[in-house]
Amino acid sequence: MPLRASLRPGDTIGILGGGQLGRMLALAAAPLGLKTHIFCPDPQSPAFEVADAHTIADYEDQGALERFAETCDAVTYEFENVPAGTAAFLENRVVLRPGARALEISQDRLTEKQFLEAAGADVAPYRDIANEGDLFAALAAFGGQGVLKTRRFGYDGKGQVMIRAAEDTDTALERIGNAPAVLEALIPFDREMSVIVARDAAGTCGAFDVSENLHRNHILHTSTVPAGIGPALAETARAMAIRIAEAMDYVGVMGVELFVVPSPVGETVLVNEIAPRVHNSGHWTQDACLCDQFEQHIRAVAGWPLGTFERHSDAVMTNLIGDACDSWPDILRDPSARLHLYGKTESRPGRKMGHWNRITPHQAGNGSSGQKS
Amino acid sequence: MPLRASLRPGDTIGILGGGQLGRMLALAAAPLGLKTHIFCPDPQSPAFEVADAHTIADYEDQGALERFAETCDAVTYEFENVPAGTAAFLENRVVLRPGARALEISQDRLTEKQFLEAAGADVAPYRDIANEGDLFAALAAFGGQGVLKTRRFGYDGKGQVMIRAAEDTDTALERIGNAPAVLEALIPFDREMSVIVARDAAGTCGAFDVSENLHRNHILHTSTVPAGIGPALAETARAMAIRIAEAMDYVGVMGVELFVVPSPVGETVLVNEIAPRVHNSGHWTQDACLCDQFEQHIRAVAGWPLGTFERHSDAVMTNLIGDACDSWPDILRDPSARLHLYGKTESRPGRKMGHWNRITPHQAGNGSSGQKS
């Protein structure tokens, strides 16, 4: 039975994952007349309270997945660690966008880097690390330094170890649980940036303006648009993100994280990693663009055309981590600030509780503005 | 027991009415970290699917109202015909914003006009009509013409009769069910406009830019911003709306409909009617302003400060009435168009199914931009 590839208002999009990204996707679907059904094992999921339906079940509960698929006209996900079996099970029953292939690539750092290289994107030097021998050989090639990262299940700095000296090496593999890993060469980057790219089911692709990202304790702290780079480098970054989405035959929004690195011919960009979903560094689009990353993703998942990528304002997005969310009264009082809380009841250190966007009038000539390719 | 006047994230706002206005209020509450609980007798209410909780019950079901009030930290409404007893019942149990007084005034055209005059707002000449004798006397005073409107429960042209000639008079009272009425003098207006005004619990008041409204079959068709009037008249209109909100000690968003009428000293404005709620003619704020009318209302109901009233773009809002919602694919394809569907399953002639905003860059010097007073 062929699966219907284009939805109509009144149809339902299923979302695997009930965190803040699922919540903001549900909020973006509603004005388009689409219902959402959230599937998440956590009974306290922030997305439940703004969705039409929810299922509390394990991601590998096939009975629950079966019933979920029956109620959905298309399914997407808010996180890249959806089990491969779950994606395959759903893909046999309902339109899954982005597909299982996007998960397969992005769940494994090695597969991802190999895919990116094949797609013509530049990445930092890396080596496949299966054992201590591999690690010593790779470190020798990289001048004794590097970042050791597990191939799977790493995020926000988890599952990675910085190696700067010989004494770090002895315990490095142990510290990542002796899991299959990659060693990345240490990149003396000038800036971290990202591009939020989207591609619809008809193959039209576009990207928002490049954001410049600052991290604290391995967690995104701010994203600023426009990024402090020239228009040529911004265009290179956006073109690279679009090339990746096209090579993957991707449908939906993808976050592409980049390093700006010095080179003999001026600055250039390397892809750090990709996320097959809406991305924290794209939250600025909610208040600086007519059509934000969440609506772009919903449109693509629904089989609809993408909206505009233009932005009307400059923006600085700041994450509210842990107790930082206590500053909500100050944010509300600031006329240029836009508050986004996630409805999480318990604030814990390191937990993303919300974010806010400082929005200021768009300065002419301060960088390219997003457009479709 | 004093009622708590200021909410915190995680608190719940109750909304009487589950239509599109309640739905868009719920969607605006979520990013502020506020939950919503919709109370509506219609099991198919569009607002239910984006709210944390809902109650299906009659507005006069005191048991249901009691339970509803217990779960809410503040209550508001999306329509002005909330029964007076319901408002009074709730106001004894929970913060009700706007209050019962706003309902009392706006539910009765006569009370409303008397209030507006006392507040210093200009209204069209009118007469209280209790019987046929009143009607004949009023028509004699107004040159034999006028619009006869029931004092209560009129909306979208319902409960009103145009009297242009003597033969209209005989059946006029019968056609409005012999209900208590007012006769309004026929106003040769140049344009219809509205001002969306908001006032917070601390008394700070502000208004969005004036919109110019076109009606078809007594239902709003388009709202355009900027309105085709000069800055002085726009300022007069906004100041009048603010004066009304202040005179009422109002908390929340109010729609103030105005006529622009010719006068010996140039154009002037008369207040047509007020609505103590978010208003269809303010839907353009969703895409042309950082903070829209729905968020302003939620902020006020929560006891929080208002956001900015600035707009960053020009806008034309068009209602999608009945089958007009079938044009959704064209709207999605237009990069300057923003689609807002209400999730109603059945399209009927005259039924508001959604709206869309055409957004274009803000032209400098094309009218005042909203600000707080």
Side-chain angles (χ1 to χ4, degrees):
Chain A
M1 185 182 69
L3 297 170
R4 191 154 61 92
S6 184
L7 273 58
R8 296 182 54 82
D11 285 346
T12 297
I13 291 181
I15 302 174
L16 296 170
Q20 63 267 21
L21 300 180
R23 176 180 168 102
M24 291 185 280
L25 285 169
L27 289 172
L32 301 175
L34 294 166
K35 295 182 168 73
T36 44
H37 182 158
I38 310 291
F39 190 110
C40 191
D42 179 0
Q44 300 295 322
S45 294
F48 288 171
E49 65 193 42
V50 294
D52 187 48
H54 66 263
T55 295
I56 303 170
D58 190 88
Y59 291 121
E60 285 164 317
D61 178 340
Q62 293 204 343
L65 288 170
E66 181 85 55
R67 291 187 294 277
F68 172 68
E70 278 165 13
T71 70
C72 296
D73 300 284
V75 170
T76 187
Y77 38 83
E78 61 145 23
F79 68 113
E80 58 270 40
N81 288 324
V82 174
T86 302
F89 184 89
L90 288 171
E91 221 167 29
N92 283 327
R93 286 161 179 80
V94 63
V95 172
L96 181 70
R97 287 175 174 151
R101 169 130 175 80
L103 291 171
E104 185 193 323
I105 292 168
S106 59
Q107 283 177 1
D108 185 318
R109 287 185 195 278
L110 181 64
T111 311
E112 180 176 302
K113 287 175 191 298
Q114 288 165 344
F115 167 82
L116 291 169
E117 287 184 305
D122 298 319
V123 299
Y126 68 92
R127 292 287 190 284
D128 178 13
I129 308 295
N131 53 48
E132 210 165 35
D134 292 340
L135 179 59
F136 283 118
L139 282 167
F142 294 163
Q145 299 194 325
V147 191
L148 184 69
K149 298 182 177 177
T150 57
R151 284 175 56 175
R152 302 176 67 87
F153 304 118
Y155 68 97
D156 286 352
K158 292 180 175 66
Q160 54 181 273
V161 171
M162 176 73 71
I163 302 177
R164 292 192 181 272
E167 58 267 32
D168 297 331
T169 316
D170 302 333
T171 57
L173 279 171
E174 195 182 311
R175 283 159 67 197
I176 61 161
N178 291 299
V182 292
L183 186 76
E184 296 174 7
L186 270 193
I187 298 298
F189 59 82
D190 297 336
R191 304 164 187 273
E192 289 181 88
M193 304 192 313
S194 59
V195 174
I196 306 299
V197 59
R199 188 167 174 274
D200 68 21
T204 303
C205 202
F208 289 102
D209 279 349
V210 178
S211 73
E212 182 164 346
N213 307 323
L214 283 180
H215 290 77
R216 280 189 187 169
N217 305 320
H218 296 284
I219 300 176
L220 182 65
H221 177 53
T222 61
S223 291
T224 301
V225 182
I229 54 170
L233 195 61
E235 197 40 48
T236 300
R238 293 176 63 250
M240 202 177 282
I242 287 171
R243 198 179 314 137
I244 293 166
E246 288 176 342
M248 214 184 278
D249 197 20
Y250 191 83
V251 178
V253 161
M254 179 192 296
V256 178
E257 293 183 36
L258 303 139
F259 295 129
V260 179
V261 293
S263 88
V265 293
E267 289 184 318
T268 184
V269 290
L270 299 178
V271 178
N272 175 26
E273 61 180 33
I274 60 174
R277 54 169 168 81
V278 288
H279 196 260
N280 195 164
S281 70
H283 292 357
W284 64 271
T285 62
Q286 292 179 300
D287 298 304
C289 298
L290 270 190
C291 184
D292 70 15
Q293 65 163 348
F294 300 98
E295 179 172 330
Q296 296 287 27
H297 190 72
I298 292 293
R299 283 173 174 248
V301 171
W304 293 353
L306 299 175
T308 177
F309 290 84
E310 295 269 340
R311 77 182 155 84
H312 53 70
S313 300
D314 293 350
V316 180
M317 189 285 308
T318 304
N319 269 334
L320 296 170
I321 311 281
D323 289 344
C325 66
D326 294 340
S327 65
W328 64 268
D330 300 322
I331 296 169
L332 282 176
R333 271 190 292 272
D334 180 343
S336 69
R338 306 283 305 142
L339 180 64
H340 298 268
L341 294 177
Y342 304 152
K344 297 180 182 176
T345 44
E346 195 191 345
S347 158
R348 291 191 297 265
R351 190 175 200 205
K352 291 177 179 171
M353 303 298 294
H355 66 273
W356 66 283
N357 290 323
R358 178 176 298 289
I359 301 297
T360 47
H362 191 16
Q363 301 300 314
N366 63 4
S368 64
S369 197
Q371 54 190 249
K372 292 186 193 177
S373 74
Chain B
M1 186 180 69
L3 297 170
R4 194 154 59 93
S6 183
L7 274 58
R8 296 182 54 83
D11 284 347
T12 298
I13 291 181
I15 302 173
L16 297 170
Q20 63 267 21
L21 300 181
R23 176 180 168 102
M24 291 185 281
L25 285 168
L27 289 171
L32 301 176
L34 294 166
K35 296 182 168 74
T36 45
H37 182 159
I38 311 291
F39 189 111
C40 190
D42 179 1
Q44 301 295 321
S45 294
F48 288 171
E49 65 194 41
V50 294
D52 186 49
H54 66 261
T55 295
I56 302 170
D58 190 87
Y59 291 121
E60 284 163 319
D61 177 340
Q62 293 204 345
L65 288 170
E66 180 86 54
R67 289 186 294 277
F68 171 69
E70 278 166 11
T71 70
C72 295
D73 300 285
V75 170
T76 188
Y77 39 84
E78 62 147 22
F79 68 114
E80 57 271 40
N81 287 324
V82 173
T86 303
F89 184 88
L90 287 170
E91 221 166 29
N92 282 328
R93 285 160 180 79
V94 62
V95 172
L96 180 71
R97 288 175 174 151
R101 170 131 174 82
L103 292 170
E104 185 193 323
I105 291 169
S106 59
Q107 283 177 0
D108 185 317
R109 287 186 196 278
L110 182 63
T111 311
E112 181 176 303
K113 287 175 192 298
Q114 289 166 344
F115 167 81
L116 291 170
E117 288 184 307
D122 298 319
V123 300
Y126 68 92
R127 292 285 189 284
D128 179 12
I129 307 294
N131 54 48
E132 211 166 33
D134 291 341
L135 180 58
F136 283 118
L139 282 167
F142 294 164
Q145 300 193 322
V147 192
L148 184 68
K149 299 181 176 177
T150 57
R151 285 174 55 175
R152 303 175 67 84
F153 304 119
Y155 68 97
D156 285 352
K158 292 180 175 67
Q160 52 181 277
V161 171
M162 175 73 71
I163 301 176
R164 292 193 181 273
E167 59 266 32
D168 296 332
T169 316
D170 303 335
T171 57
L173 278 170
E174 195 182 312
R175 284 159 68 198
I176 60 161
N178 291 299
V182 292
L183 186 76
E184 295 174 6
L186 270 192
I187 298 298
F189 59 81
D190 297 334
R191 304 164 187 274
E192 291 180 88
M193 305 189 313
S194 58
V195 175
I196 307 299
V197 59
R199 188 167 174 275
D200 68 21
T204 304
C205 202
F208 289 103
D209 279 350
V210 178
S211 73
E212 182 164 345
N213 306 322
L214 284 179
H215 290 78
R216 280 188 186 170
N217 305 319
H218 295 285
I219 300 176
L220 182 65
H221 177 54
T222 61
S223 291
T224 300
V225 181
I229 54 170
L233 196 59
E235 197 41 48
T236 301
R238 293 176 62 250
M240 204 178 283
I242 287 171
R243 198 178 314 137
I244 293 166
E246 287 176 342
M248 214 184 278
D249 197 21
Y250 191 83
V251 178
V253 161
M254 180 192 295
V256 179
E257 294 184 34
L258 303 138
F259 295 130
V260 179
V261 294
S263 89
V265 293
E267 289 183 317
T268 184
V269 291
L270 298 178
V271 177
N272 176 25
E273 62 180 33
I274 60 175
R277 54 171 168 79
V278 289
H279 195 260
N280 195 165
S281 70
H283 292 358
W284 64 270
T285 61
Q286 292 178 300
D287 298 304
C289 298
L290 270 192
C291 183
D292 70 15
Q293 65 164 348
F294 300 99
E295 179 171 330
Q296 297 285 29
H297 190 72
I298 292 293
R299 283 172 175 248
V301 172
W304 294 353
L306 299 175
T308 177
F309 289 84
E310 294 270 339
R311 78 183 155 84
H312 53 69
S313 299
D314 292 350
V316 180
M317 188 287 307
T318 304
N319 269 334
L320 296 169
I321 311 281
D323 289 346
C325 66
D326 294 341
S327 65
W328 64 268
D330 300 322
I331 296 168
L332 282 177
R333 271 191 292 271
D334 180 343
S336 69
R338 306 282 306 140
L339 179 64
H340 298 268
L341 294 178
Y342 304 152
K344 297 180 182 178
T345 44
E346 195 191 346
S347 159
R348 291 191 299 265
R351 191 175 200 207
K352 291 176 179 171
M353 303 298 294
H355 65 273
W356 65 284
N357 289 324
R358 178 177 298 290
I359 300 297
T360 48
H362 190 18
Q363 301 300 315
N366 62 4
S368 64
S369 196
Q371 53 190 246
K372 292 186 194 177
S373 75

